[in-house]
Amino acid sequence: MAGKEAVVFILDTFPSMNSPYPKDSESTRLSQAKRAVINAIADQSWRSKTHECGCIVLKTGLTHHHMAVMDGIDDENALGYYFRKVARGKKVHVDLDDEVHFPNLIEFDLNRITPQTLRAISHVCSTSDESNADVMQGDLCDGLIVAADALYQRTNGKKFKRKIVLFTDAEHKVSVDGSQLQAVLDGLNKMECEVIVVGIGFDDEKDFSSIAKSSNDAGIKQEDDDDDLDQPDKITSNDAPTAEESDSNIKEEGDVDNEDMEDLKMESDIRARVKRE
């Protein structure tokens, strides 16, 4: 029997993640990334009830993670409600407090998998736009640091197979503190933590010269899109549900007027997905 696994997923929600993906389709890069994350988490729960998963959302107006807890946020349901309000058009307040550690990140805690966590992740949406995206922090390097610390705090001294999986289109500038990032990467190496970067939309021709690139010496495994990878959900393990199966379980955000009914259906579907043997 395989040992316990601890996986932290990182979701980029920069406005460019709202671009259609694949091209000329109704789905977006973000919706496909969410589907891949939810499928992977559900797969983890089917393989073993001892596996643990967490998720960090980049570029959010709100700041809430284990290094900067926000008052009034006490569970995943509250985070899901926040994203639902944003999707309905609520104006986003951007946290700009310089004293906050790693602002503009939201974390779903690394823990045993629950239906509430999956439901909340399904509501994740972009909370930034052209008017505030440039002032937001919470880039992929910040997310990697918080994810690494979460893994350390949760699994240090325990027998876990550790992994971080980042979904991004890499279309925003990244601020890098070289010494701090190197210290984190050294820590990940000591924990024997695998880091996977899943590139979404990398087949498009763009100039990435201004985007910070991960060091190959840090042991980071990067997986870019290629001709036979049409949807990110194919990057999950061989045991993961197919795209057809996921369509019946993960509903896209629909008409706001029908949101409550969709939530009830989604919760029922998710509970069926994570039912223990």
Side-chain angles (χ1 to χ4, degrees):
M1 181 177 179
K4 295 187 293 185
E5 296 183 14
V7 184
V8 178
F9 297 92
I10 302 177
L11 270 175
D12 189 352
T13 64
F14 193 71
S16 59
M17 289 289 286
N18 292 321
S19 301
Y21 187 83
K23 292 181 180 179
D24 303 323
S25 68
E26 294 183 359
S27 63
T28 66
R29 295 172 181 176
L30 180 56
S31 67
Q32 293 286 358
K34 286 194 300 181
R35 176 180 297 181
V37 169
I38 292 172
N39 284 349
I41 293 176
D43 177 56
Q44 289 281 81
S45 71
W46 276 107
R47 289 193 289 115
S48 174
K49 65 181 181 180
T50 63
H51 292 337
E52 300 187 2
C53 293
C55 183
I56 294 174
V57 185
L58 309 180
K59 293 291 182 179
T60 59
L62 189 70
T63 301
H64 178 75
H65 50 80
H66 70 279
M67 300 171 71
V69 178
M70 180 177 180
D71 294 337
I73 304 293
D74 53 5
D75 58 18
E76 294 90 346
N77 292 330
L79 294 175
Y81 178 76
Y82 166 74
F83 285 113
R84 285 180 58 190
K85 296 293 287 186
V86 173
R88 290 179 175 181
K90 181 181 179 180
K91 186 176 180 180
V92 177
H93 169 73
V94 180
D95 290 336
L96 298 175
D97 190 348
D98 293 335
E99 296 183 359
V100 174
H101 294 291
F102 306 108
N104 307 128
L105 297 174
I106 285 180
E107 178 183 21
F108 296 92
D109 293 338
L110 176 62
N111 212 322
R112 297 282 180 89
I113 301 159
T114 66
Q116 290 77 15
T117 299
L118 290 175
R119 183 184 181 194
I121 292 174
S122 72
H123 289 302
V124 169
C125 63
S126 294
T127 61
S128 60
D129 53 35
E130 294 180 358
S131 65
N132 58 25
D134 291 337
V135 298
M136 278 192 181
Q137 299 183 54
D139 57 36
L140 60 90
C141 285
D142 290 342
L144 182 62
I145 292 171
V146 173
D149 189 72
L151 280 170
Y152 178 80
Q153 296 293 336
R154 182 68 179 171
T155 69
N156 183 41
K158 302 176 183 179
K159 293 183 178 180
F160 273 92
K161 181 179 179 181
R162 304 168 183 85
K163 184 184 298 183
I164 295 175
V165 184
L166 165 65
F167 290 84
T168 181
D169 59 4
E171 290 201 18
H172 60 79
K173 294 182 179 180
V174 178
S175 177
V176 179
D177 183 332
S179 59
Q180 184 182 50
L181 183 59
Q182 187 60 53
V184 171
L185 295 176
D186 290 341
L188 290 174
N189 283 330
K190 290 181 180 179
M191 289 193 294
E192 298 182 346
C193 177
E194 181 181 12
V195 180
I196 301 174
V197 180
V198 182
I200 303 179
F202 279 18
D203 53 337
D204 298 332
E205 294 184 1
K206 297 181 179 68
D207 180 11
F208 293 100
S209 59
S210 62
I211 306 298
K213 297 181 179 179
S214 301
S215 171
N216 291 330
D217 295 335
I220 294 180
K221 177 182 178 183
Q222 182 169 352
E223 297 184 358
D224 292 346
D225 287 24
D226 52 28
D227 293 339
D228 59 358
L229 180 59
D230 293 329
Q231 298 185 10
D233 34 329
K234 293 183 180 179
I235 61 91
T236 59
S237 70
N238 293 332
D239 297 328
T242 64
E244 289 77 13
E245 293 171 332
S246 65
D247 286 339
S248 63
N249 295 284
I250 308 302
K251 295 179 66 65
E252 299 290 345
E253 292 84 355
D255 191 326
V256 173
D257 294 336
N258 297 324
E259 188 74 31
D260 293 335
M261 182 61 71
E262 292 182 0
D263 285 346
L264 291 174
K265 293 179 180 179
M266 182 178 296
E267 184 171 10
S268 177
D269 291 340
I270 288 174
R271 286 183 182 277
R273 291 284 300 275
V274 298
K275 182 179 180 181
R276 301 290 186 264
E277 297 180 355

